[in-house]
Amino acid sequence: PKMREDSCLHAALLCLGVLCYSHALSTERFNHSRPSLHGHHEKGKEGQVLHRSKRGWVWNQFFVIEEYTGPDPVLVGRLHSDIDSGDGNIKYILSGEGAGIIFVIDDKSGNIHATKTLDREERAQYTLTAQAVDRNTNRPLEPPSEFIVKVQDINDNPPEFLHENYHANVPERSNVGTSVIQVTASDADDPTYGNSAKLVYSILEGQPYFSVEAQTGIIRTALPNMDREAKEEYHVVIQAKDMGGHMGGLSGTTKVTITLTDVNDNPPKFPQSVYQMSVSEAAVPGEEVGRVKAKDPDIGENGLVAYSIIDGDGMDMFEITTDYETQEGVVKLKKTLDYETKKSYSLKVEAANVHIDPKFISNGPFKDTVTVKIAVEDADEPPVFLKPSYIFEVQENAASGTVVGKVHAKDPDAANSAIRYSIDRHTDLERYFVINAEDGNIKTIKALDREEMAWHNISVFAVEVHKQHQEAKVPVAIKVIDVNDNAPRFAAAYEAFVCENARSNQQFITISADDKDDSANGPRFIFSLPPEIIHNPNFTLRDNRDNTASVLVRREGFSRQKQDLYLLPIVISDGGVPPLSSTNTLSVRVCGCDSGGSLLSCNAEAYVLNAGLSTGALVAILACIVILLVIVVLFVTLKRQKKEPLIVFEEEDVRENIITYDDEGGGEEDTEAFDIATLQNPDGINGFIPRKDIKPEYQYLPRPGLRPAPNSVDVDDFINTRIQEADNDPTAPPYDSIQIYGYEGRGSVAGSLSSLESATTDSDLDYDYLQNWGPRFKKLADLYGSKDTFDDDS
């Protein structure tokens, strides 16, 4: 085939080129490495002898091909001195970079060989120094000279891209040839020698969508109207090949991910033509009814959609907002619905792009419309009052049962259930009103007083008969109309003063009045004196016709000694229908004043007589003095006769008198040292024995019914009786008296309770009688009784 023939031809040409190159290189090396001897004679073409001047080292740069992998060391070149006669007396020495390691020299012939494979990309040239010395004496025969060994490049490095992967973006719908990205590769080979570093770019994957410029590596779009919504991402493989892209060159590849960015080239579109929604009539404004969504395949701001209602009979009842997170249109209730009034609504909703790209405006309108039908569902609604509030009026003091007004509510549902009414008693705690449960008539229960409460604010409930949970409430304000039922009175507690030297017709006080009734029932007060004292000789009254009145003095010459206080009745009437009046008393006190009318004193003063006291007055004074002296003498006499003072006047004893008896006297029969009259004494049962700690001023008779019977054994009642007698005794001293009694008296069944006379052995007495002494002795009876019981049980 033709392809095979072309391959063979290319191979033959390549081999021929290599052979020619090698021959030329060998010839060049040979010519460059041949030194001439000093004084060497050569014959010319015609036989004449030519004389050349003496020269030192003669050479050019040496070359060696990199990456040589032959079995023998590579001959780099040959060194030769003019003085070398070939007898072996000259020794060649090589020094410098790589000498003895990479490069070695035959010290006799001067041939230089490379013992290792060289890499031009690691090191492009080596600088060496050659010298010829005498083999025997090592004496330098010529000065050292430097030469350079260059590493000749071969195509042993493929192209490499700066990045293994590239990412690029290009807008969708871009024109053909739009630049996307530039990729760049590099080749480590020598760009100045041959085509080893000459790169050519080509696209291996990504056709026919993209292309690449062979020389620059710029990737461009190759197809028009690429649609992101159809395919968003493309994977492109780019190759860079050296040797100018010819056969035998090395190559490298990279991957480029190209993403189409979005443009607004798609309008929003509703997936359906009609949306069906429903909402209850009980829904409140602002409640969500439903959602619509127009699909826009664009993304970001190109896919933003705004919704609006452009037509329909529900434009006033509903509204639509945009949820930008979900790109949905949210239909919400705007006003309260009534199923009984209208059962369905229709809306025309439009969805339009927020941002429009002018380049694609010719694609058509970037919006769409849809019809939304909303059905209103019936709900069980509470009763509705015909008015949001009621205001009624009723006169105060109206009789019980007076009709105040009527409220009315109805069931808005189709069933039209019956309604029952009631008053919220929390708003009518005093129960002034009652309502008829059937017809809603409100009546009074008791009379109302405007002056006590001018307005009554109550609440009325309306409940469906068959659905008690359906309830409505309405406020009812009841105004109490005023009736003239309060007479006017003084506005304050007036107290007037008139000077003794007051002049006739002098005004000394101005009074006013107030009325609890409304101003309509007392627009002006009328002041006057009662008819019976209208010609009062002392004072007169003048109505100022501005709801005040002035009180004036009718005569001159008042005297405090004759009369220091006058009571002036004043009649005040209002202008109500019917008019009411009241009589109020003004107190007028006569006072002493100076000549300027300033008040000095209003107390009555006694006049001192010029003559001496009368005989009767003197006798009365002397009698009082004598009586006082007699009382003092009697008091001193009584104080001396008493053994112990009744009341000690020392400062430290005015509080309490504690009497302590430390002497037992003659035993229990001795009662002289202390008083035992407060206990039951058999010697004094039949008569009252007065107390001995005081001297009574009159005989105290105990009240009947307080003393127990003589034969009573209830000690508790006995003690309580004695305490009550002591508390009610008017002869008791005003101090505490603590006394100790050690005598129980004769005839006591219990005998002495003193521990001094207690026997050392158990008593044989029966203590059952303690049960009859009352609750205070119950504990003692239980103690002794339990002991006897224990003894009996044992």
Side-chain angles (χ1 to χ4, degrees):
K2 184 177 181 180
M3 184 176 296
R4 185 175 299 174
E5 293 177 357
D6 294 339
S7 299
C8 293
L9 181 60
H10 281 283
L13 292 175
L14 181 61
C15 292
L16 181 60
V18 171
L19 290 175
C20 294
Y21 174 76
S22 300
H23 176 72
L25 183 61
S26 300
T27 304
E28 182 181 2
R29 286 178 182 169
F30 176 76
N31 293 331
H32 287 179
S33 61
R34 288 182 59 189
S36 60
L37 299 176
H38 294 286
H40 179 70
H41 299 273
E42 291 184 357
K43 291 182 179 181
K45 293 182 180 179
E46 298 180 354
Q48 63 180 1
V49 178
L50 301 179
H51 298 275
R52 294 189 302 175
S53 61
K54 180 180 178 181
R55 293 184 301 174
W57 298 101
V58 180
W59 56 47
N60 289 325
Q61 292 179 342
F62 293 142
F63 295 91
V64 60
I65 298 177
E66 66 172 337
E67 304 294 344
Y68 176 76
T69 58
D72 299 325
V74 179
L75 177 62
V76 177
R78 181 182 180 184
L79 299 179
H80 186 70
S81 175
D82 292 343
I83 61 176
D84 186 3
S85 60
D87 54 3
N89 292 326
I90 295 178
K91 179 181 179 180
Y92 295 97
I93 299 173
L94 185 67
S95 62
E97 297 174 345
I101 300 174
I102 300 176
F103 302 100
V104 295
I105 188 170
D106 187 345
D107 59 355
K108 292 182 179 181
S109 63
N111 292 331
I112 301 174
H113 291 82
T115 61
K116 292 184 178 181
T117 302
L118 301 180
D119 187 358
R120 189 200 69 85
E121 285 70 41
E122 291 183 3
R123 187 159 190 170
Q125 66 181 20
Y126 296 86
T127 301
L128 299 173
T129 301
Q131 189 175 19
V133 299
D134 187 272
R135 185 178 296 273
N136 296 322
T137 63
N138 285 329
R139 181 178 59 85
L141 299 179
E142 290 189 11
S145 298
E146 289 185 352
F147 65 94
I148 297 174
V149 178
K150 286 189 175 182
V151 182
Q152 191 119 16
D153 180 54
I154 64 172
N155 189 20
D156 60 343
N157 289 280
E160 292 184 357
F161 285 92
L162 298 179
H163 302 285
E164 184 178 355
N165 292 287
Y166 289 86
H167 295 273
N169 298 320
V170 63
E172 63 173 334
R173 307 285 182 181
S174 295
N175 296 327
V176 175
T178 301
S179 175
V180 179
I181 190 175
Q182 182 178 17
V183 294
T184 303
S186 61
D187 196 320
D189 293 326
D190 188 359
T192 63
Y193 183 79
N195 294 326
S196 298
K198 185 178 181 180
L199 305 181
V200 174
Y201 298 93
S202 62
I203 183 168
L204 301 182
E205 295 182 17
Q207 302 97 335
Y209 307 103
F210 300 94
S211 64
V212 64
E213 292 183 356
Q215 304 302 323
T216 62
I218 297 176
I219 301 174
R220 300 181 182 275
T221 58
L223 284 181
N225 297 324
M226 284 191 292
D227 190 2
R228 185 200 65 83
E229 288 72 33
K231 186 175 181 180
E232 183 177 6
E233 192 173 83
Y234 296 84
H235 297 282
V236 178
V237 178
I238 302 297
Q239 175 184 266
K241 191 174 183 180
D242 58 13
M243 298 300 291
H246 294 97
M247 184 178 296
L250 302 179
S251 64
T253 60
T254 186
K255 293 180 180 179
V256 182
T257 301
I258 301 176
T259 303
L260 297 183
T261 57
D262 185 63
V263 297
N264 190 11
D265 58 340
N266 294 280
K269 186 70 177 177
F270 284 104
Q272 58 196 67
S273 60
V274 177
Y275 283 87
Q276 298 286 347
M277 299 180 184
S278 61
V279 60
S280 173
E281 65 172 333
V284 297
E287 187 172 332
E288 181 179 328
V289 178
R291 294 185 174 224
V292 298
K293 184 174 183 180
K295 294 183 178 180
D296 190 335
D298 296 323
I299 59 175
E301 68 175 13
N302 297 319
L304 293 180
V305 179
Y307 298 87
S308 60
I309 299 175
I310 60 176
D311 198 5
D313 58 359
M315 294 183 64
D316 295 336
M317 305 302 294
F318 300 92
E319 61 183 355
I320 190 169
T321 59
T322 302
D323 186 346
Y324 286 102
E325 291 185 1
T326 61
Q327 289 298 301
E328 293 177 319
V330 183
V331 180
K332 295 182 179 180
L333 184 63
K334 189 175 180 181
K335 295 181 180 180
T336 305
L337 301 173
D338 186 8
Y339 172 81
E340 289 71 25
T341 303
K342 189 173 177 63
K343 297 178 176 58
S344 65
Y345 294 89
S346 178
L347 301 174
K348 189 175 182 180
V349 176
E350 180 184 80
N353 277 140
V354 177
H355 302 282
I356 305 297
D357 192 339
K359 293 187 297 183
F360 303 99
I361 195 68
S362 60
N363 290 2
F366 283 80
K367 56 187 176 180
D368 194 16
T369 58
V370 71
T371 300
V372 179
K373 293 184 178 181
I374 303 174
V376 181
E377 297 178 349
D378 188 21
D380 190 9
E381 301 174 88
V384 177
F385 282 94
L386 298 185
K387 296 181 180 180
S389 62
Y390 292 86
I391 299 178
F392 299 130
E393 293 182 349
V394 61
Q395 284 193 344
E396 67 173 327
N397 303 326
S400 176
T402 301
V403 176
V404 177
K406 181 179 181 180
V407 297
H408 183 67
K410 66 176 182 178
D411 182 11
D413 298 322
N416 195 18
S417 301
I419 306 297
R420 295 186 66 85
Y421 304 93
S422 62
I423 294 178
D424 183 1
R425 287 305 170 189
H426 292 91
T427 61
D428 186 26
L429 297 175
E430 301 295 333
R431 294 185 176 270
Y432 287 106
F433 307 97
V434 66
I435 190 170
N436 189 306
E438 305 295 335
D439 58 13
N441 274 321
I442 302 175
K443 298 180 180 180
T444 60
I445 301 178
K446 50 187 177 181
L448 306 177
D449 187 0
R450 190 202 69 87
E451 287 70 42
E452 181 180 346
M453 186 179 296
W455 285 88
H456 294 266
N457 297 304
I458 65 174
S459 296
V460 175
F461 291 112
V463 183
E464 294 183 18
V465 174
H466 301 294
K467 298 175 183 178
Q468 298 294 327
H469 65 281
Q470 294 294 357
E471 179 182 80
K473 186 177 181 180
V474 68
V476 178
I478 301 173
K479 179 181 180 181
V480 182
I481 301 175
D482 184 48
V483 174
N484 193 23
D485 57 348
N486 289 276
R489 297 184 178 275
F490 277 157
Y494 293 109
E495 186 174 3
F497 303 92
V498 64
C499 294
E500 289 180 310
N501 56 356
R503 299 186 305 274
S504 177
N505 293 325
Q506 180 181 354
Q507 175 183 334
F508 59 90
I509 190 172
T510 300
I511 60 175
S512 62
D514 58 11
D515 194 334
K516 293 183 179 180
D517 292 322
D518 190 46
S519 60
N521 287 314
R524 193 179 75 82
F525 300 117
I526 301 173
F527 300 86
S528 62
L529 295 177
E532 61 272 14
I533 64 167
I534 192 171
H535 299 293
N536 187 296
N538 300 314
F539 307 101
T540 184
L541 184 71
R542 182 179 64 207
D543 193 339
N544 298 325
R545 298 183 178 276
D546 59 354
N547 291 331
T548 64
S550 300
V551 184
L552 298 88
V553 177
R554 182 183 290 271
R555 65 179 179 85
E556 298 180 356
F558 290 92
S559 175
R560 283 178 289 170
Q561 284 70 34
K562 293 181 179 180
Q563 186 174 351
D564 62 346
L565 179 65
Y566 294 88
L567 300 177
L568 179 64
I570 299 175
V571 177
I572 308 174
S573 61
D574 57 24
V577 179
L580 295 179
S581 63
S582 65
T583 301
N584 301 264
T585 302
L586 177 65
S587 299
V588 181
R589 186 174 298 278
V590 180
C591 301
C593 304
D594 58 11
S595 58
S598 299
L599 188 66
L600 296 177
S601 174
C602 295
N603 298 324
E605 299 177 356
Y607 284 86
V608 179
L609 299 178
N610 295 328
L613 294 175
S614 62
T615 304
L618 294 175
V619 171
I621 293 173
L622 292 175
C624 292
I625 294 174
V626 171
I627 293 173
L628 289 175
L629 291 175
V630 171
I631 291 173
V632 172
V633 171
L634 290 175
F635 182 81
V636 173
T637 303
L638 290 175
K639 183 177 181 182
R640 291 179 178 178
Q641 289 179 354
K642 295 184 66 174
K643 296 180 180 180
E644 295 291 336
L646 179 60
I647 299 177
V648 180
F649 291 97
E650 285 77 0
E651 182 179 356
E652 65 273 14
D653 294 326
V654 297
R655 295 167 295 176
E656 293 181 341
N657 181 22
I658 301 176
I659 303 175
T660 304
Y661 300 94
D662 296 329
D663 184 10
E664 292 186 358
E668 293 184 351
E669 297 296 333
D670 185 2
T671 61
E672 295 300 327
F674 47 87
D675 182 24
I676 61 172
T678 56
L679 290 178
Q680 184 179 5
N681 192 333
D683 296 335
I685 290 178
N686 296 326
F688 172 73
I689 299 177
R691 294 172 58 173
K692 296 181 180 180
D693 58 344
I694 64 171
K695 184 176 181 180
E697 298 178 1
Y698 58 89
Q699 186 65 36
Y700 170 70
L701 295 178
R703 291 183 295 176
L706 296 179
R707 292 174 60 92
N711 296 326
S712 174
V713 294
D714 193 343
V715 179
D716 189 21
D717 292 342
F718 172 76
I719 293 175
N720 289 332
T721 302
R722 286 291 180 262
I723 292 174
Q724 187 173 2
E725 289 179 357
D727 291 341
N728 295 305
D729 187 359
T731 63
Y735 56 86
D736 295 332
S737 177
I738 299 177
Q739 303 185 22
I740 300 174
Y741 302 95
Y743 174 67
E744 290 79 19
R746 294 189 301 271
S748 173
V749 182
S752 176
L753 299 179
S754 174
S755 61
L756 298 176
E757 297 179 358
S758 300
T760 57
T761 59
D762 295 337
S763 175
D764 296 334
L765 295 177
D766 183 8
Y767 294 99
D768 292 339
Y769 62 87
L770 292 175
Q771 298 288 348
N772 300 326
W773 278 27
R776 295 191 179 182
F777 294 90
K778 185 175 184 303
K779 184 64 177 179
L780 186 62
D782 291 342
L783 291 175
Y784 283 92
S786 62
K787 182 176 183 306
D788 295 340
T789 304
F790 178 77
D791 294 341
D792 295 341
D793 295 340
S794 61

